[in-house]
Amino acid sequence: MAFRTTALLVAALPALLFAASPTPLSISPSLSSPVGLTSGSAMGCVALDWWPETKCDYGTCAWGNSSFINLDLTLPGVTSALNSLGSSGPFYLRLGGSLCDFTRYDFPGSTETCVPFSEPTNATRIGFELGTGCLHHARWDELVSTCDSTPNCELIFGLNALIGRKNSTCAAEIDCLFNYTDNACCTSWSGDWDPSNARTLLEYAHDNNQDVYGFELGNELTGDSGIEAHLTPSEYADTFCVLKSMIDEIYADVPAGSRPKVITPDNNFEAEWYGEFLALTYEASCAPDVITWHQYLLGAGVDDAAPSKAMDPAVLDQQIKNGANVLSTVTDNTPEGETPPEIWVGEAGGAYNSGRRGTTDCYRSSFWYMDGFGILAQNGHRTFCRQTLIGGNYGLLNTTTHEPNPDFYALLLWQKLMGSAVLASPVTAGDNDAHYLRSYAHCTAGDDTKVSVLLLNLSPDQAFDVTVEGGFVKREDYWMTATDMESQSVMLNGETLVMPEGGNVVLDPKEVDGDDVDVVTVQPETYGFHVFQLPDGQVCGEQ
């Protein structure tokens, strides 16, 4: 077929070296019966973290000046990236991370000492001294202004949930950074949260008419998988209810539905803990607006298996079980008649401890990333926050050059094409290789006469001829390829993508019509978004 020949020519793929005949598969998107919704028209969310340049992992210091307290927000690469994200669809800018529970805020009315981050230490699990790190209100104004001036940007901020609590004091020789499992003092806390420092920030934002979409309460402090603390459901629920009440008080002049959302608990998922927490907050009439959980599917950044995990169907399929488990836990613990909180992945960067070079900063990374979007959207998740926009080895932008890594363009395409209505798109085939082909479908963003289908081929050597059933009349292709899996540049339909300084990335498709519309040939280790035009009179998602 003519299109298949064209696709092979423009792809510029290593896969051209393989001679294996494509395996025939078919998918049938559920055009009239969506299985879920994402937030707005997108899953997009990107994070800026607190980490100072002295944050190092495995002998590598990958953060530079990317902390949101010192990042130059006027850098052309940063401003172009934010504007491109906003032009592609609504997105959230999350300011948070592990150090949010260590820091203080220098705002009018605060009585807290606000000092810079300490030098690295082994006295805490996070690696810096408690009570260090300072957000000045002038810097907060700059961050708010940056989001305000970016199209479709909504700001989220993580509040300190440990302030006021007392931690057990470990002996000076105790190494909490690397030997916390043998020393309960490293993660033992008592007492109640002191909301006074958070109040100064909330009142400042309210009194200055600053738009904040939501406030998160703490970062990875709960249950057995908490880092600096292991707060119980009742301890955390009590704190959460205080915060929600405080927001309702400060924003009493704002309609309830327009007040900042309260987002929680930003932790690795533990079903029993989450279920008990939700039950307690519903009983106390202070249930969260958004439930979040964190995930690093590829394990530690130091793991030599991380690159292979990023392309392993068995590893990526864990997301199916994870997503379903989170969804059922939230729905089962929401009382009858109540609307369940939205479910978000509040933080995910592939590999934890700052990511891994050659895995989370290159073309290979886009496969676990986009596969996670597709699976979790089908399992009731509305948003997926990427760690990070810039910083570490998992940033969407290179920390040194500020140039986009391949995942940045993957996110832009998802934002641009995959609308809020999620469709089932099962792969039909009896071949054992079928699990390498991942298929996800949504009604197209902004155009309900079209269907957008994401196809990812994880196989290193097997191509697929995918028949997409639906009687479509034409198609637009957005093929994403690279010269190799570790490439930090990526090609769209054979053309290398670059970020225009001061402008927005242009993402133009290749048009296909005629006899080849319904069959897409997906070469090994490639992925693409394909937008199908429905016949006249048909509307996507209309039952």
Side-chain angles (χ1 to χ4, degrees):
M1 293 185 178
F3 166 68
R4 294 178 193 167
T5 301
T6 302
L8 287 170
L9 289 174
V10 302
L13 308 174
L16 288 173
L17 301 176
F18 299 100
S21 298
T23 296
L25 302 174
S26 63
I27 65 171
S28 182
S30 58
L31 302 178
S32 62
S33 52
V35 296
L37 295 172
T38 60
S39 290
S41 64
M43 294 275 278
C45 176
V46 295
L48 290 174
D49 211 305
W50 291 93
W51 292 122
E53 61 182 355
T54 51
K55 160 69 170 171
C56 304
D57 298 282
Y58 321 120
T60 299
C61 305
W63 287 86
N65 289 321
S66 63
S67 170
F68 68 77
I69 60 176
N70 63 10
L71 174 67
D72 183 351
L73 298 170
T74 67
L75 287 169
V78 173
T79 57
S80 294
L82 290 172
N83 286 328
S84 292
L85 281 170
S87 297
S88 295
F91 76 101
Y92 300 103
L93 178 61
R94 175 190 186 244
L95 307 177
S98 298
L99 286 169
C100 87
D101 298 295
F102 284 47
T103 54
R104 304 291 186 263
Y105 319 129
D106 179 21
F107 281 65
S110 174
T111 59
E112 290 290 331
T113 302
C114 205
V115 298
F117 285 116
S118 71
E119 291 300 311
T121 176
N122 286 5
T124 66
R125 281 202 64 188
I126 301 299
F128 291 84
E129 291 181 14
L130 288 161
T132 66
C134 181
L135 176 63
H136 296 281
H137 63 85
R139 179 59 173 179
W140 167 259
D141 290 343
E142 293 173 352
L143 292 161
V144 172
S145 177
T146 295
C147 192
D148 282 348
S149 62
T150 300
N152 290 312
C153 178
E154 299 279 7
L155 193 68
I156 297 167
F157 183 75
L159 293 167
N160 184 332
L162 286 183
I163 190 170
R165 303 182 194 273
K166 304 299 182 184
N167 66 309
S168 299
T169 302
C170 294
E173 67 272 14
I174 296 298
D175 184 347
C176 286
L177 185 61
F178 295 108
N179 197 26
Y180 59 88
T181 55
D182 296 328
N183 297 283
C185 61
C186 293
T187 54
S188 295
W189 291 77
S190 61
D192 299 324
W193 181 52
D194 179 356
S196 59
N197 197 219
R199 176 181 283 274
T200 64
L201 189 154
L202 291 168
E203 290 179 340
Y204 183 89
H206 170 268
D207 295 347
N208 288 278
N209 296 313
Q210 294 176 329
D211 187 14
V212 181
Y213 180 84
F215 291 100
E216 298 176 325
L217 180 60
N219 186 89
E220 296 177 345
L221 298 178
T222 64
D224 293 339
S225 58
I227 298 180
E228 196 62 39
H230 299 293
L231 301 182
T232 67
S234 60
E235 288 174 325
Y236 189 80
D238 288 346
T239 300
F240 181 81
C241 292
V242 170
L243 173 61
K244 190 151 191 179
S245 176
M246 187 167 65
I247 288 177
D248 288 341
E249 174 199 339
I250 293 170
Y251 287 85
D253 58 338
V254 177
S258 299
R259 295 170 190 167
K261 308 300 182 188
V262 193
I263 303 169
T264 194
D266 276 314
N267 209 83
N268 289 346
F269 188 75
E270 299 174 27
E272 184 176 353
W273 191 99
Y274 273 68
E276 185 175 345
F277 164 74
L278 278 172
L280 289 169
T281 56
Y282 275 110
E283 289 172 9
S285 300
C286 60
D289 299 304
V290 179
I291 277 283
T292 59
W293 62 291
H294 291 184
Q295 184 184 72
Y296 287 86
L297 193 64
L298 310 182
V302 73
D303 186 356
D304 289 337
S308 61
K309 288 179 179 179
M311 302 293 289
D312 186 339
V315 172
L316 302 189
D317 281 349
Q318 295 173 22
Q319 199 73 281
I320 301 171
K321 180 180 178 180
N322 294 339
N325 188 26
V326 176
L327 177 60
S328 64
T329 298
V330 172
T331 55
D332 290 350
N333 288 281
T334 300
E336 186 175 353
E338 298 281 357
T339 301
E342 288 191 13
I343 303 172
W344 295 10
V345 172
E347 183 180 306
Y352 63 83
N353 287 346
S354 302
R356 181 184 175 91
R357 290 179 180 173
T359 299
T360 55
D361 61 350
C362 60
Y363 176 64
R364 174 183 283 113
S365 182
S366 299
F367 291 82
W368 74 263
Y369 186 37
M370 290 294 99
D371 194 62
F373 271 44
I375 290 173
L376 293 174
Q378 291 179 346
N379 284 277
H381 286 60
R382 305 285 291 269
T383 301
F384 189 111
C385 291
R386 174 58 181 257
Q387 177 78 346
T388 60
L389 173 66
I390 184 169
N393 291 315
Y394 40 31
L396 297 178
L397 304 180
N398 183 285
T399 304
T400 303
T401 68
H402 317 127
E403 293 293 324
N405 286 327
D407 283 357
F408 175 77
Y409 297 111
L411 176 56
L412 288 187
L413 283 169
W414 181 285
Q415 295 280 93
K416 172 184 173 73
L417 302 174
M418 304 295 271
S420 60
V422 185
L423 310 175
S425 55
V427 176
T428 304
D431 193 283
N432 290 332
D433 289 333
H435 63 297
Y436 282 100
L437 192 283
R438 326 289 279 196
S439 167
Y440 305 102
H442 290 219
C443 296
T444 298
D447 190 344
D448 60 8
T449 69
K450 296 179 179 179
V451 178
S452 294
V453 177
L454 168 62
L455 299 173
L456 304 105
N457 186 355
L458 305 175
S459 174
D461 52 20
Q462 181 61 56
F464 296 95
D465 277 347
V466 182
T467 299
V468 183
E469 299 172 353
F472 304 108
V473 295
K474 64 179 179 179
R475 184 178 89 232
E476 295 175 338
D477 287 337
Y478 298 81
W479 284 110
M480 300 296 281
T481 62
T483 55
D484 58 70
M485 298 302 288
E486 295 187 2
S487 175
Q488 290 187 299
S489 64
V490 67
M491 292 174 279
L492 171 63
N493 296 324
E495 297 292 331
T496 300
L497 288 170
V498 295
M499 175 80 78
E501 185 171 329
N504 296 324
V505 176
V506 177
L507 302 168
D508 291 330
K510 293 186 69 68
E511 294 189 2
V512 181
D513 55 19
D515 294 338
D516 294 325
V517 168
D518 61 342
V519 180
V520 182
T521 299
V522 190
Q523 296 295 334
E525 296 181 336
T526 69
Y527 73 96
F529 292 84
H530 309 278
V531 180
F532 294 85
Q533 178 69 56
L534 289 163
D536 288 345
Q538 290 193 25
V539 176
C540 183
E542 187 175 87
Q543 301 193 24

